[in-house]
Amino acid sequence: MTAAPHDAPQPTQAVVLAGGQGSRLRPYTDDRPKPMVEIPGTGVPIIGHQLTWLAAEGVTDAVISCGHLAEVLQEWLDSTELPLRVTTVVESEPLGRGGGLKYAAAALPRPDEPWFATNGDIWTRFSLHEMAAFHDERDALATLALARPRIPWGAVDTDEFGHVLDFIEAPPSPYLINAGVYVFAAEFTKLLPDRGDHERTTFPRLARERRLAGFPLPQRAYWRAIDTAKDLAQAAKDLAG
């Protein structure tokens, strides 16, 4: 495999998928979409933190894919001083994750350049420059960030005879998971399905072709998916700490 040139352009555009209903975050999501839920103690919704991070990493243009209660998100965007240029798109009918991503990508200002994408419920901080360089070095069409979350339960360590040796509170998972942040080559867009889930179609195909890369988040990088009220509380605790 031939390595991509090291002077490949750093992506300056991104798609944020912000159309989910966030049913597990109710009642917070009764009157707002999931990315509009505020991180306690900050006064800023999740998507506000995301846009600030993207801008700090050199992104100048973002397309936000809206769905559930889209008008609430659009009103906030219109009334807020944003650190980058933002366009919104709204799916008239559900297209699935892959179809929604393709639909939003059609609104990117520079379709012949690479782009970032992120799920709208992720709160993280790490170097997108490093991730983009990793993507280029592997000549990948798509690269996904990989996180190692902590298991939400205590673990029990035993020896081969079944004797309990230790109790470990919230240990790191032995598996890496999709962290919901991506780098895509320009030509990746046309490989997305018009409808359906790219993680069941496009990603497995690219994996077989060795054109899909996984970027492990740096050890000290902060990452949290905001799925439940407990996640919100933990995010606020992390911030205070």
Side-chain angles (χ1 to χ4, degrees), residues 71-92:
E71 66 279 4
V72 177
L73 176 51
Q74 290 172 321
E75 287 172 10
W76 180 82
L77 292 168
D78 290 341
S79 63
T80 303
E81 186 174 343
L82 302 172
L84 38 60
R85 290 182 291 272
V86 170
T87 303
T88 59
V89 297
V90 181
E91 295 178 31
S92 57

Side-chain angles (χ1 to χ4, degrees), residues 14 86 117 131 205 221:
V86 170
M131 185 176 177
R205 170 186 165 187

Side-chain angles (χ1 to χ4, degrees), residues 1 41 53 86 125 131 164 166 182 198 201 212 225 227 231:
M1 183 175 68
W53 171 56
V86 170
R125 290 290 185 275
M131 185 176 177
V164 173
D166 199 4
Y182 311 88
H198 62 293
T201 55
L212 180 67
D227 289 323
D231 294 325

